[in-house]
Amino acid sequence: MVTNQGKIAELSRTFGLFQDPLRLRLFVLLVNMGEGGRQLCVSDLAEKLGSSLSNTSHQLRKLELAGIANRVRHVRMICYQFRKTPLNMNLYSFIRS
């Protein structure tokens, strides 16, 4: 069997990212609520998930670094939106099924 080492490494990092249930919940929430490119602010996400602002912000930053979310600054407010890539869409399809 021929494998692409880069793709395997990327998948391993991505699946490892979802070991934290909050990050997985954030991922699903960003996809579901971010339809049409809608941006969701950290405070709104924290409230919906019952998490602190600092923990939610920390977990969102990890999703951003992994290429799953994009951060958008509105003066003093930070918002995030789901980054539609083939891998991210496939992950979401897998989680939904």
Side-chain angles (χ1 to χ4, degrees):
M1 179 169 114
V2 178
T3 60
N4 179 331
Q5 293 297 336
K7 186 162 285 288
I8 289 173
E10 179 183 12
L11 284 171
S12 178
R13 280 190 304 275
T14 302
F15 285 131
L17 183 70
F18 293 125
Q19 287 179 332
D20 184 304
L22 180 59
R23 282 194 294 264
L24 183 56
R25 291 172 55 211
L26 281 166
F27 172 78
V28 171
L29 194 58
L30 283 171
V31 175
N32 288 335
M33 295 192 67
E35 291 295 320
R38 183 171 166 220
Q39 300 166 1
L40 302 163
C41 297
V42 176
S43 58
D44 295 332
L45 290 164
E47 183 179 322
K48 287 191 178 301
L49 296 174
S51 178
S52 69
L53 281 173
S54 62
N55 189 29
T56 302
S57 180
H58 177 73
Q59 303 306 333
L60 284 164
R61 179 77 173 131
K62 288 187 176 202
L63 292 176
E64 178 189 10
L65 291 172
I68 291 173
N70 290 326
R71 178 173 37 162
V72 181
R73 179 179 286 277
H74 297 283
V75 187
R76 291 180 42 150
M77 193 165 49
I78 303 291
C79 297
Y80 285 84
Q81 66 186 99
F82 176 67
R83 186 169 172 227
K84 288 186 178 181
T85 66
L87 176 61
N88 293 346
M89 295 305 292
N90 285 336
L91 280 170
Y92 181 66
S93 294
F94 176 75
I95 291 168
R96 252 187 35 199
S97 61

